[in-house]
Amino acid sequence: MVWGPLIAGYLFLAGAAAGAYLTAVLVERLDPEARAMRFAGRILGLVLLGIGLVMLMIDAEAGLKNPLRFIYLVMNPESVMTLGVYFICVFMAVDFATCVLEFLKKPVPGALTIVGSVFAFAVAAYTGFLLGVVNDYPLWNNSVLPILFVASALTAGLAAVSLVGMFAERAAFEKMALLKQIHIGLAVLEGVALFALCAIVYSNSVEGAMAVSSMLTGSYAGLFWVGIVAVGLVAPLAIAVAELKSENASESGFGLALGAAGEVGALAGSFCLRLIVVLAAVPLILV
Amino acid sequence: MARYGMLINTKKCVGCFACRLACQMKNELEVKESFIHYEDVEKGKFPRVYAEVVPMQCMHCEDAPCQTVCPTHATYTTDDGVVLVEEERCIGCKYCMAVCPYHARVQIESTGVIEKCRFCYENGEVGKPSCVSTCISKARIFGDLDDPESEISKAIVAHNALPLAGNLTESKIFYVR
Amino acid sequence: ASPDEQGKGSEVSRGFTLCNGCSSKCGLVCTVKGGRLWTVEGHKDHPYAKGTACGRAHGVAQMAYSASRITTPLRKTEDGSFVPCTWDEAFAEIGERVKKIQAESGPESIAMIQDPRPSGKYYSKRFINALGSANLYTHGCACNLSKESGLTEVIGTGKYSTDFGKAKMVMFVGRSYGDGIRPSSVQSVAAAADANCRVVLVDPRLNNTGIFATDWVPIVPGGDLAFLLGMCNVLIEEDLYNHEFIENETVGFDEFAAQCKEYTPEWAEGICGVSADRIRELARAMAKAAPAASIEPSWRAVNGCSYANSFETARAFCAVNALLGSFGQKGGALLTSTPSFGDLDPEKFPKVPKPKVKRVGDAEYPLVLDSMGSAAVAAASGKVKAFFFYNSNGARGYGSPKMWTKALEDAELVVTIDIQMSETAMQSDFVLPECSYIERMEVPEALGGKKHAVAMRLPVIDRIHPETKSCDEIFAGLAEACGVGKYFGFSVEELSEAQLNTVGTSVAEMREKGVVALPDPNFEYKVPKFKTKSGKLELSNEKVGATGMNPVISYIPRKVMPGEGEFFVIGGKQSIHSHTMTLPVESLNAISREYDMERIWMATADAEKLGIETGDLVEVYNDNHSDKVAVKVTERIMPGVLFVPSHYGGKSKDLSLAYGYGIDMSDYLDGDFEPHVGSIMSQEVAVKVRKVQA
Ligand SMILES: Nc1nc2c(c(=O)[nH]1)N[C@H]1C(S)=C(S)[C@@H](COP(=O)(O)OP(=O)(O)OC[C@H]3O[C@@H](n4cnc5c(=O)[nH]c(N)nc54)[C@H](O)[C@@H]3O)O[C@H]1N2
Ligand SMILES: Nc1nc2c(c(=O)[nH]1)N[C@H]1C(S)=C(S)[C@@H](COP(=O)(O)OP(=O)(O)OC[C@H]3O[C@@H](n4cnc5c(=O)[nH]c(N)nc54)[C@H](O)[C@@H]3O)O[C@H]1N2
Ligand code: SF4
Ligand code: SF4
Ligand code: SF4
Ligand code: SF4
Ligand code: SF4
Ligand SMILES: [Mo]
């Protein structure tokens, strides 16, 4: 296995960071007064990505031992990894500036938000393409994976910000039905993408079939069915649907706990997805 | 300028690992680090069976995906066609490892650098590849692909030797199979 | 300098030695960087290396730096643990005990067991004979004793070689150049395959020489004798044999031909599992290619030491080649000469008197080869009170380990000279540490063949552990302590110089070249002079007859036949390992583990019946032993046969990389010997297999 949990963690955190930032943008649109959620999204954008980058650097042993070498990361614009570095740099700079303005209670210029959103999306998408361009691993090298990763990134960001909203700004949060609708929409999209990924990868190569089998019935079956499907997709989906249907359920303590559980589940599922995709991939053998 | 390549004749290889071990010593690798690995092929049913060992290492691809993805330009190609890793630039991100279709990349434990066969490059030029000189069945030939008179060029023609994966990466290791 | 200090700096120098990875002792060129061994290459002038070196050469050279080296003499205490002692203490106590045993039980109760190495065979022989004992044994009883004994009774020498360069057809019967490696052999079969020689592999499994083979003939283990006699039947009955050779150069043909009548291919098929048609086809093809066709002489697996019929199988090899008339012919089976050193100054190198009592075991096993003896027979006899081992892990590798443990427990003194804590060392009273081979000089070795040469081991690096000694120093010390020091009043360098001078070269020239060519023996293709009693190739032999065996080459069945639900077991070398000694070598062990090489092979058909898949753990058991190991399921082996790679199942806890890794066939042995010869019958085993875990 080329990469392990550290890189899975990085992919998850980078996606969640971008998702959180984008959620903040949306929250700003929906309710300019919901400052906690907005601010949280922006801060999470920085913090999660920061932690992710630390994990990335720990995994890159030669760089860790000689940190100055990380400067060379910008050298090869042909590499998705270098592109990612560009995206991350711009995104983090914008997010940082946004946070400073937010902290100083100054208005954030619309143009900055647009740039930030574009690069946040780029960060979310690049984590998918980083793996997607690796021809060698059928589980990675397909057009579904980036979609799945983007959906999962947005879900994770949304979930993180929702958690904050639930506890810090409950009233405002409850009014934003669109967030839950998006949540549901993303979960459905993810489910479909996951199914498509398995079906396509399974049928296209022996190694792909091996990878998918290990996910569905083999050594990663627990992680897949419990972590991704049950905890990460079905449960949050069910909870979100239930919440949408029963207007005031979430006002109870139980409702809050359930809602929070759903969001935590979505986060966990998003991490499990990265983990399984990193670990279960089987390379093509050319002999 | 020469363009170096290698021929591996699997019709002669007995899978003895001498090349791996000689390479490890020459390149001062740890025992678990190896620039060469082997794929066992078994075809047919008893008693009509064909068995073959395919030694694999960096193919010094002309169209090297590891070089394309290397974010730091640590991976580069010399003028004589040898793909090398500049240790001082490599951060150990393993991207090259992930994209190498031949699984030729190896992490060096002590430095974290992701290395591979260097065609025994020493002091700025190709040396005498140890895997070739130790090969007990003379299954390996090293030399200049651009020189039609070289032993390797002649052998490639004589045996119709081909890269392992067609022109997937324009590999410079040719196999007789 | 300590191993850590060595290797600093980057000055590169070069040195010559002979590999100690196996008995081939190939010439090596080593480079040393900053005082530490860097690379190893085969010497281009060495006839076995031919410029290349096998995997073991690289790994074994690194044993010098191994953490499992023994660095001081060790003696066993009452509680069975080892404590370091000085050389003086070790020598003094060993000397005292040897003298006591000599006085009480006679010198004939002392034995020396060694795997012949250049200095080892010279010094160990001199030492044991100086003590008055003829009990010098090699590893032969577990290797090629039956083969060399068998060949000797037919062609007057234990060796012949295949003339690959000109051969049209070669048959391997239980020999794999691609696994039991000697580089020159691999090169020769590769060249033969290039020249479209038909290469036939007779083997229950498709071994790694398969890549050069035109035919794989799976055979029932130990059924080889029937197969060979079936071919003889075809050659004689279809009148395909070489009349001129048979009439002029052999004795006993008429009896042999009469005997062969019953060995029809159909009869052979019933025993060896090779179809009668195929036996006929192969015999006819060999006859057609003759005399540039022969059966390669083989080494261990079939005619070496494995079966109750190994000796007879070795004789049958010669019978086939005789019928083909291939002895001495282009592309056939060659008998070549080996040079020897001349007489040395008797003052400086006094001759040791011949011991009076015959070697233990020779009387009961009269066909045993003189230059080998059977160490296992000696151990089982109960007559040996003191054992010396040099470069040998006999107590594990020469037959039933249980039998050896009893023999060593019953003995009064066991001394092992080794570089690591082998199973034998573990069971010794004293363990004497030799320096590794790249740290020492040894006496030169004369090399025979179509051309003659001499090569020698010279130190490549400085001694790493100051309290280790070289073979010559150890034997000189032992001899002094045992009161026979007068036979050892010279250094290894003086001895080497004297020996080399007798063939016109010197240590200085060896230092410069590593390998030196000797005058051309002018090899010619012609029927060789057979050094048998009759001077001819003996298809019937008096000495064999005198034991009660049929003097004529004839059929003997293998001893142990698997019953219902049981498997045959065969062993075999792996390219990166030598016997028991290399599994603790880090770089070689790492390969075994990376490629799961300890797994036993099982045929797909058998595995399906037992519900076993590759990687599953099974229990392999018989009345003597039970052990667990993983399985490799493959089409490359005959159903009903298990292949157990030979190098696994270490029992010495000190060699942690080898300890308990894989299984060792020896543990399953009954501990008896091939009649009249004394080989260990290493494959007279049947086992059952049960799946324990997926
Ligand atoms: N790698 C390596 N090479 C070595 C050595 C080593 O330890 N390791 N040691 C050297 C020494 S000392 C020796 S003795 C030689 C041994 O060299 P070989 O004689 O070639 O030794 P093995 O590998 O024991 O057996 C050879 C083949 O015989 C097959 N075989 C087993 N049983 C039977 C049988 O009943 N009938 C037939 N027809 N075939 C059978 C095995 O499957 C195997 O493929 O190798 C020498 N070279
Ligand atoms: N289990 C098992 N038994 C076997 C075989 C097998 O493959 N497996 N093979 C059989 C065959 S074909 C043969 S030829 C014999 C070989 O039998 P041995 O010659 O006894 O071979 P090894 O078992 O390798 O043991 C050699 C011993 O010499 C030691 N040694 C290594 N280098 C040196 C050195 O420089 N100096 C000294 N003093 N000691 C050194 C090693 O540590 C080891 O303990 O074994 C036979 N028995
Ligand atoms: S074989 Fe792999 S490591 Fe070597 S150049 Fe090609 S892609 Fe790069
Ligand atoms: S591990 Fe080193 S050589 Fe490989 S892609 Fe990363 S920086 Fe380049
Ligand atoms: S060419 Fe040199 S570096 Fe490459 S595999 Fe051979 S020995 Fe190793
Ligand atoms: S040294 Fe030669 S024969 Fe041995 S594994 Fe390598 S290529 Fe094959
Ligand atoms: S065959 Fe290999 S291990 Fe044996 S002496 Fe030669 S190089 Fe060494
Ligand atoms: Mo042997």
Side-chain angles (χ1 to χ4, degrees), chain C residues 628-652:
Chain C
K628 296 194 185 73
V629 67
V631 176
K632 161 178 162 150
V633 177
T634 172
E635 300 287 345
R636 292 175 64 177
I637 191 163
M638 187 176 205
V641 182
L642 290 183
F643 170 68
V644 177
S646 295
H647 317 283
Y648 298 88
K651 302 286 183 298
S652 167

Side-chain angles (χ1 to χ4, degrees), chain A residues 131 139-140 145 149 197 272-281:
Chain A
L131 301 185
L139 186 60
W140 300 347
L145 191 77
F149 269 28
L197 181 80
C272 290
L273 174 70
R274 304 311 197 289
L275 192 60
I276 212 169
V277 165
V278 167
L279 294 181

Side-chain angles (χ1 to χ4, degrees), chain B residues 6 19 22-24 26-27 35-36 57 60 116-121 128-132 140 142:
Chain B
M6 195 180 281
C19 43
C23 172
Q24 281 180 325
K26 172 73 165 282
N27 291 289
F35 290 167
I36 307 176
Q57 62 206 60
H60 297 274
K116 57 179 202 63
C117 160
R118 335 167 152 134
F119 273 172
C120 286
Y121 224 79
K128 186 168 133 213
S130 296
C131 57
V132 175
R140 291 168 174 267
F142 179 76

Side-chain angles (χ1 to χ4, degrees), chain C residues 555-600:
Chain C
Y555 183 66
I556 301 172
R558 64 172 282 164
K559 185 177 167 218
V560 178
M561 283 302 285
E564 186 57 30
E566 289 185 325
F567 284 89
F568 286 103
V569 182
I570 57 168
K573 306 300 183 204
Q574 284 181 338
S575 57
I576 52 165
H577 289 300
S578 276
H579 324 299
T580 72
M581 114 183 180
T582 50
L583 203 56
V585 177
E586 285 92 343
S587 58
L588 303 177
N589 191 285
I591 295 176
S592 280
R593 290 183 194 262
E594 190 174 330
Y595 292 91
D596 301 315
M597 289 169 67
E598 87 291 1
R599 290 181 181 174
I600 61 169

